[in-house]
Amino acid sequence: MNKFKFIYLLWPLFLISCQTRTPAQAGPKLTCKGQAFSLNDINNHHSYNYHFNQLSEWIGPKRDNAKGVLLLLHGLNVRPSKMNSLGRFLNNNSLDVLRASFAGHRGDKKEGENTTREIWLKEFQIHYCLAVERAEKLKVPLYFLGFSLGGILPYDFLHQLKEQQSFKKAVLLAPAIRVHWYSKIPSKLAWLGRGLRLPSRNLAAYRSQKTTPLGLYRAMADAKNSMDKPQRELINFPTLILIDPKDELVSSKKLEKMIKKFRLNNWQLEYISNKLTEHDPSFHHLVIDSPSLGRVEWTRVLERISRHLSF
């Protein structure tokens, strides 16, 4: 993966200039108390045209006998709908699943240029409160499962939350909480213009856009800052991390060190492998479905997730 490690050093060859505008800022009240939300608060926007199949949605039927409620969270410049196969598996195993879609991933190219960490916080608040409402109605546990960027946003939110959080367990797939040094370069270039874009190296079938604006990288880096010195009492609930040790974006070694440093004794890191993938095996970071990991390894991953979530 040496080519990938240095691709961002060649960024001037690929930058594309795009128009930007000042984004709306999220309010400071990150709480569910006294709030009334619906998915329409996320799925409709007067300034953007969205792809219907990339909007936030409940995956499968909602059940009165559900064993739990789970928030399912996608990665950076990954189509939210690519999480649906995992969502259907979880729903078939009696979980109500709310699959999120965050700004910059709903099909409108310009939205990503205007996205900030504050916007993501507000959007996560809406998803979280809807999931909490459902879990409290059913009197069942609340979980989340996040891939890459989706493994950052819940913790950023929990560090800002003005009330006790409700998550009982979590599953993280290659969470971008600790990344390799070269993965930080795009966010540091955002001062050149949040609308400037880098080509996405991700597989075409999985990526939300062909290019990723530097603003999205900056928003992700800003969200990740809350995990530089995490508050242990807020995040030390049972958490399963699954990652390929050859991940080209996320550093598994840094994750191990973080877990030890902050005494996250309820976090467990386990290694997986994409050696039987149906795609290019050099894409070690992509670990969200059977084609990306291979049928045998994906079956093992689903079994491990099932045991962790106790169904």
Side-chain angles (χ1 to χ4, degrees), residues 90-301:
L90 296 167
N91 183 253
N92 289 337
N93 283 275
S94 300
L95 295 184
D96 280 354
V97 178
L98 177 55
R99 196 265 292 140
S101 179
F102 295 106
H105 300 85
R106 296 187 278 257
D108 193 295
K109 186 176 180 179
K110 285 191 175 183
E111 185 179 40
E113 302 164 14
N114 304 319
T115 297
T116 63
R117 170 213 178 208
E118 289 75 21
I119 290 174
W120 279 344
L121 275 174
K122 186 64 177 179
E123 291 183 345
F124 189 88
Q125 175 191 13
I126 294 171
H127 290 97
Y128 172 78
C129 293
L130 288 172
V132 167
E133 180 182 29
R134 180 67 179 165
E136 290 180 347
K137 177 181 179 180
L138 298 178
K139 298 181 180 180
V140 296
L142 177 64
Y143 312 120
F144 77 83
L145 190 157
F147 166 60
S148 195
L149 168 68
I152 295 176
L153 298 181
Y155 299 112
D156 190 27
F157 177 79
L158 294 181
H159 281 91
Q160 315 300 322
L161 189 61
K162 306 303 182 184
E163 61 192 50
Q164 184 177 359
Q165 66 90 13
S166 299
F167 290 118
K168 298 301 181 184
K169 293 182 180 179
V171 178
L172 307 179
L173 303 178
I177 295 171
R178 293 289 186 270
V179 299
H180 298 295
W181 65 268
Y182 49 84
S183 298
K184 301 177 182 179
I185 294 176
S187 65
K188 295 183 181 299
L189 297 176
W191 63 272
L192 294 169
R194 299 180 66 92
L196 298 177
R197 309 176 76 92
L198 288 172
S200 171
R201 187 182 173 275
N202 199 3
L203 295 170
Y206 289 83
R207 67 192 180 206
S208 178
Q209 303 285 342
K210 291 182 179 180
T211 57
T212 309
L214 297 182
L216 280 187
Y217 287 111
R218 181 69 261 170
M220 184 168 72
D222 290 342
K224 188 177 72 67
N225 286 341
S226 63
M227 289 297 284
D228 288 347
K229 294 181 179 180
Q231 298 179 44
R232 180 177 181 273
E233 66 278 9
L234 297 179
I235 68 171
N236 191 33
F237 46 88
T239 300
L240 173 65
I241 302 175
L242 299 173
I243 186 172
D244 189 320
K246 297 180 181 179
D247 192 307
E248 65 273 18
L249 295 176
V250 178
S251 171
S252 59
K253 297 300 181 183
K254 290 182 179 179
L255 282 173
E256 288 181 355
K257 291 180 180 178
M258 182 197 76
I259 292 170
K260 292 179 180 179
K261 179 179 179 181
F262 296 104
R263 296 179 293 109
L264 299 174
N265 56 296
N266 286 320
W267 285 38
Q268 183 176 2
L269 187 149
E270 297 182 12
Y271 288 116
I272 56 180
S273 172
N274 77 332
K275 64 182 179 181
L276 297 179
T277 178
E278 298 176 18
H279 305 305
D280 182 343
S282 65
F283 288 86
H284 297 281
H285 184 62
L286 190 63
V287 292
I288 61 174
D289 59 11
S290 180
S292 60
L293 270 178
R295 182 178 58 83
V296 174
E297 186 72 338
W298 184 243
T299 298
R300 190 175 74 86
V301 165

Side-chain angles (χ1 to χ4, degrees), residues 40-57:
N40 285 334
D41 296 324
I42 301 171
N43 290 340
N44 295 297
H45 198 291
H46 66 277
S47 298
Y48 304 119
N49 295 315
Y50 291 150
H51 293 170
F52 177 77
N53 62 345
Q54 303 305 328
L55 300 179
S56 296
E57 63 176 335

Side-chain angles (χ1 to χ4, degrees), residues 62-78:
K62 289 194 283 186
R63 295 176 166 84
D64 291 335
N65 62 343
K67 298 177 182 178
V69 176
L70 182 137
L71 274 178
L72 185 59
L73 314 168
H74 62 81
L76 185 72
N77 201 2
V78 171

